[in-house]
Amino acid sequence: VATGSLVLPIGAARVPDGSASNLAPAIVSVKSSATAPSPYFLQAGFDAAGTEQIMWPLRMPTNYASGPVLKVQWKAAATSGDVRWEGRLAAYTPGTDSTSLDAKAFSTANNVTTTAGATTAQRLVESSITLTNADSLAAGDFAVVYLARLGADGADTMTGDALVVGVSLDYTTV
Amino acid sequence: VAVMNAQDLARTVAQYMREQVAIITPSLTKVDLRAAVAAADQWASDNANGYNSALPVPFRTTASAVEKAMLLAYVVMRRAGRLRAEEDG
């Protein structure tokens, strides 16, 4: 049994339209303060007071078998407090599912709470959101992977934005 | 002057976190910030009459409550180095 990994680049993410309950994180390009040539990367800043979301539509690889886990690499100015993450899946099997794709909904939420990187601001940490509620995801499905920060949740205690720089969907292969 | 309600306090904390992220002490949590905002609001409420009494008569008797509040905000921001005037270049 091997592990597959789908890289979900910040630059390839779809952002919601900004209407009520559809708020998006600000995505900015960051330049490292190191001497040139210094690394550049994109980061998505998830607000500390509300729910902001981002998502990736894709076709699931043919070697997908089970056990999807959303891996989220993030940092913050804060060095204490927790961030409450939420991951969801919407999976649609062509030729089998008979409802309109345009009315497709996400599965039940999957959540994890992770503590900010201690002692040093902008220290990278990784959260793993096990997508137990996977909407019967299967190889070849059209899927939408959803990531949100629940900034107003009681378990979310970190001040300021959670800055996501890397995301992947890991899974067990056939 | 009454203290702010829960929604106003929460939105003050939210906007403070968005706009002042560069100066917020990293070790503070949202619980700490909420308590500080509530304390500052309580202090403003408790001392509103004292502030009003300290203002010179022409301003005290003619300026609106919003005008008095903004004046205080400008003084505090300048003292904190957060108010830049055109004369500063």
Side-chain angles (χ1 to χ4, degrees), chain B residues 3-82:
Chain B
V3 295
M4 291 194 286
N5 62 33
Q7 183 182 70
D8 286 337
L9 286 172
R11 290 182 178 181
T12 300
V13 173
Q15 202 59 25
Y16 181 82
M17 286 192 294
R18 293 185 186 113
E19 295 180 357
Q20 303 301 329
V21 63
I23 64 166
I24 294 175
T25 302
S27 60
L28 295 177
T29 67
K30 283 195 276 192
V31 173
D32 299 323
L33 275 187
R34 287 191 196 106
V37 168
D41 182 51
Q42 183 68 58
W43 178 88
S45 178
D46 294 344
N47 293 281
N49 289 338
Y51 168 57
N52 192 56
S53 300
L55 295 170
V57 171
F59 194 89
R60 184 201 314 159
T61 55
T62 58
S64 67
V66 170
E67 195 174 353
K68 293 173 183 176
M70 289 305 295
L71 182 79
L72 178 60
Y74 267 62
V75 170
V76 173
M77 283 197 297
R78 181 69 186 187
R79 291 171 66 97
R82 289 285 164 169

Side-chain angles (χ1 to χ4, degrees), chain A residues 134-151:
Chain A
D135 202 21
S136 303
L137 183 66
D141 278 0
F142 172 73
V144 181
V145 182
Y146 167 104
L147 172 67
R149 177 188 181 185
L150 307 181

Side-chain angles (χ1 to χ4, degrees), chain A residues 12-97:
Chain A
R14 304 304 302 164
V15 294
D17 61 13
S19 61
S21 301
N22 284 275
L23 300 181
I27 297 176
V28 298
S29 179
V30 177
K31 176 188 178 185
S32 164
S33 60
T35 303
S38 55
Y40 285 77
F41 52 87
L42 290 177
Q43 68 182 24
F46 288 77
D47 192 74
T51 297
E52 290 184 337
Q53 56 192 264
I54 195 172
M55 57 196 77
W56 294 265
L58 50 89
R59 180 180 186 272
M60 280 306 292
T62 53
N63 68 347
Y64 171 81
S66 62
V69 178
L70 198 55
K71 300 282 189 180
V72 183
Q73 295 177 327
W74 60 278
K75 60 193 181 70
T79 56
S80 66
D82 300 332
V83 171
R84 183 73 166 164
W85 295 107
E86 180 171 292
R88 292 178 185 254
L89 276 170
Y92 191 104
T93 305
T96 299
D97 287 341

